[in-house]
Amino acid sequence: MNPIDEAAAVYELAKMQHERTAEALSDAHTALVALMPKQDEGTVKLQGDSYRVAIEYGFNRTVDAAALAAIKDSVPVALFEQAITYKPSITLAGLRYLQGNEPDAYAALAQAITARPAKPSVKIEAVEQMQEAA
C-alpha cells in the first residue's frame, strides 16, 4: 500500500468512527432533552445525584430582506434600529471579479477585508482495482 492509500484508509476509518460517535452523541442528547421540562425560550436546570444539567431553549431567527425593506418605513427609526442591524458581508463572485478586472476598486475594498486560510476540505473515495486480463 502506498502512503496516499495508507493515509486515506486511516482518514476513512476515523471518519466512520466520527460519524458513529456523532450519532451516539445525538441520541444521548435527544434522550437527555426528553427527560427535561420543556419551554419556548430560556434555561431549564435540574440536578441528579451525580450531574447538574442545564438545557437552553431558544429560536434561530432570520430576516427576510425583501419583507423587511417593504415594512421598514412603518416602524419608527429608533425602534427599527433597536431590533435590526445591517451586517456587511462579502459576495465572493463579485469580489473575485473586482480582483481580476478592477484592480483599483479591489485595492480600495481590500483594505477593509481580512482573509484567513480555511481548513482544507478533504474528500476520499475508494477506487476499485482494475484487473488486467491475463
Side-chain angles (χ1 to χ4, degrees), residues 2 6 11 15 18 21 23 28 34 38 40 62 71 79 83 89 97 105 110 126 128 132:
N2 68 46
E6 289 174 6
Y11 181 85
K15 188 173 179 183
H18 174 75
T21 302
E23 186 177 328
K38 292 169 183 40
D40 287 338
T62 59
I71 58 93
L79 297 177
S89 63
Y97 172 82
E128 292 186 32
E132 293 183 22

Side-chain angles (χ1 to χ4, degrees), residues 30-53:
T30 300
L32 186 56
V33 169
L35 295 172
M36 301 290 285
K38 292 169 183 40
Q39 61 185 51
D40 287 338
E41 287 189 286
T43 303
V44 174
K45 297 177 184 180
L46 289 178
Q47 185 164 332
D49 293 333
S50 302
Y51 295 95
R52 185 175 316 148
V53 178

Side-chain angles (χ1 to χ4, degrees), residues 75-99:
V75 178
V77 173
L79 297 177
F80 184 87
E81 290 175 352
Q82 180 177 336
I84 302 293
T85 60
Y86 285 94
K87 179 180 176 184
S89 63
I90 294 173
T91 303
L92 191 54
L95 184 67
R96 286 185 175 150
Y97 172 82
L98 293 180
Q99 189 175 18

Side-chain angles (χ1 to χ4, degrees), residues 12 123-127:
E12 184 175 41
K123 178 182 177 183
I124 66 167
E125 53 187 74
V127 178

